[in-house]
Amino acid sequence: MSAILLAITDWDPEAWLARFHAEANGREVRLWPEIGDPAAIDYACVWKQPAGLLARFPNLKAIFSLGAGVDHLLSDRSLPAAPVVRIVDPDLTSRMTGYVALHVLLHQRKMKLYEAQRRERAWRDQYEVPPDQVRVGVMGVGVLGTAAAQMLRQLGFRVAGFSRSPKTMPGIETFAGEAGMGAFLGRSDILVCLLPLTTETRGILRYDLFRRLARDGALGGPVLINAGRGGLQVEADILRALGDGTLAAASLDVFEHEPLPPTSPMWDHPKVYVTPHNAASSEPRALVKNVMNQIERFERGLGLEHIVDRTLGY
Ligand code: NDP
Ligand code: OXD
């Protein structure tokens, strides 16, 4: 019977090991660095595995990322040829939808202002811009971006989506590629970034992009929400844009360096919400089931779902 290797850094591997033992239907589960005979490993389930590790397993049939993103995997230059599979799961999707809805609402409902008023014990109701006057642009309308865009539409916001290839989505305006980017940014009061980190998207959230966001919106200035990857953003540019009014506020779940260094000015910036890369945390109970379903499908000859296109990088 096939053996599964878990190689996990940055997260608590024991919680994953316990779930794999519970779900593995008698398969052997090994936790790196205890890899045993490398030839016996058929599947690797990883989060930020050490570079070069996966090249040691000659019979690997599939590599599973334990999250939706795969930049941590594809950056390994000696990655073997086995298919790389990413997580698409309702548990992860609903967590991200919740994060995006929460942060769009925090900005639309002026929570930073009410926090400041609370410190002064000031009881003042501020005019609330109705959602149908707020244009949200979701950059990256894949699995997570589409679900978030649909939720925002249900909440009454004017929503647009941006992707690499053209799409149509009921009730949501869509833009694609370089040609569509200017119009997409120019109609966005709140920019929600759910792009993957690839060679094309690295550093995309920079000053010149912020300058292209709508300046005539009802919130008094554009807002950035990034829950994609820290490598998408140039933090010095975000600080500059917040300082000169190019951006009015930001919600950042991901950072150029994680954990966010204690010296980062983001921690106590009055216009920024900071969260510790937990917009949509990978939850072992749901996601181990997901991976085991994939392995069982594969072994029944049904093929793997959500295989990553290594050329595109996502
Ligand atoms: P998908 O692969 O389903 O979607 C990616 C989207 O980005 C697609 O719409 C794709 O376009 C678009 N895209 C990719 N490259 C470009 C480009 N160069 N220009 C324009 N659009 C582009 O990914 P998911 O929705 O599942 O996940 C998105 C990202 O969210 C992950 O890669 C990960 O980095 C991040 N994430 C963060 C988490 C957190 O807790 N902060 C948790 C989970 C994920 P097209 O549709 O044309 O292919
Ligand atoms: C993911 C993440 O990619 O947690 O799933 O960031």
Side-chain angles (χ1 to χ4, degrees):
M1 182 157 285
S2 54
I4 300 174
L5 175 80
L6 307 186
I8 298 171
T9 66
D10 263 18
W11 295 345
D12 169 20
E14 294 302 329
W16 291 91
L17 183 63
R19 285 320 303 163
F20 270 101
H21 277 145
E23 300 282 346
N25 276 335
R27 286 181 181 79
E28 193 188 342
V29 183
R30 300 180 189 170
L31 178 61
W32 172 82
E34 307 300 325
I35 60 176
D37 173 14
I41 303 288
D42 292 294
Y43 307 105
C45 302
V46 305
W47 184 255
K48 299 188 184 171
Q49 84 288 351
L53 175 71
L54 298 179
R56 294 170 60 189
F57 306 109
N59 298 318
L60 212 50
K61 296 188 176 70
I63 302 167
F64 295 92
S65 168
L66 293 175
V70 289
D71 46 296
H72 63 106
L73 255 167
L74 301 186
S75 61
D76 182 345
R77 287 174 185 275
S78 61
L79 199 62
V84 172
V85 177
R86 66 193 201 89
I87 291 285
V88 172
D89 189 90
D91 181 87
L92 194 83
T93 303
S94 73
R95 287 168 195 266
M96 184 59 86
T97 309
Y99 169 89
V100 172
L102 169 69
H103 283 266
V104 166
L105 288 167
L106 285 174
H107 294 287
Q108 176 246 340
R109 301 198 64 145
K110 301 191 166 92
M111 275 313 290
K112 284 280 178 196
L113 197 56
Y114 288 113
E115 282 166 18
Q117 285 188 191
R118 180 176 175 210
R119 285 191 290 273
E120 293 164 17
R121 300 178 180 241
W123 182 271
R124 257 195 314 274
D125 187 2
Q126 305 281 349
Y127 171 70
E128 186 182 312
V129 178
D132 67 0
Q133 285 177 36
V134 180
R135 297 161 296 181
V136 186
V138 182
M139 202 171 198
V141 272
V143 172
L144 301 179
T146 298
Q150 286 165 345
M151 171 59 82
L152 293 170
R153 191 173 126 69
Q154 274 180 38
L155 290 170
F157 291 94
R158 285 163 59 191
V159 186
F162 177 76
S163 50
R164 200 179 44 79
S165 52
K167 291 197 176 353
T168 48
M169 298 167 73
I172 293 170
E173 218 182 333
T174 50
F175 301 86
E178 264 308 305
M181 194 189 279
F184 168 75
L185 295 173
R187 56 70 68 206
S188 294
D189 302 315
I190 299 182
L191 181 69
V192 176
C193 183
L194 285 174
L195 287 171
L197 181 61
T198 67
T199 46
E200 274 187 39
T201 61
R202 183 173 289 280
I204 195 170
L205 300 175
R206 55 177 183 262
Y207 194 76
D208 59 343
L209 179 141
F210 305 144
R211 285 182 53 139
R212 296 163 79 189
L213 291 166
R215 303 230 49 92
D216 58 350
L219 296 179
V223 173
L224 169 68
I225 299 176
N226 184 17
R229 279 289 180 269
L232 299 167
Q233 75 199 15
V234 179
E235 279 158 34
D237 284 11
I238 296 177
L239 290 168
R240 176 181 166 204
L242 288 167
D244 69 13
T246 301
L247 284 176
S251 289
L252 305 174
D253 181 59
V254 287
F255 296 90
E256 286 172 23
H257 300 287
E258 293 179 6
L260 183 63
T263 50
S264 169
M266 294 297 182
W267 282 114
D268 45 18
H269 197 294
K271 297 179 181 170
V272 180
Y273 289 104
V274 168
T275 46
H277 194 145
N278 69 347
S281 295
S282 286
E283 203 279 319
R285 186 168 290 274
L287 301 196
V288 171
K289 269 198 174 41
N290 179 310
V291 170
M292 291 314 304
N293 284 341
Q294 286 264 41
I295 291 177
E296 274 152 30
R297 274 180 62 90
F298 178 71
E299 291 184 344
R300 289 205 313 271
L302 293 176
L304 295 163
E305 296 181 302
H306 315 301
I307 295 179
V308 168
D309 181 330
R310 288 198 192 195
T311 319
L312 291 175
Y314 68 98

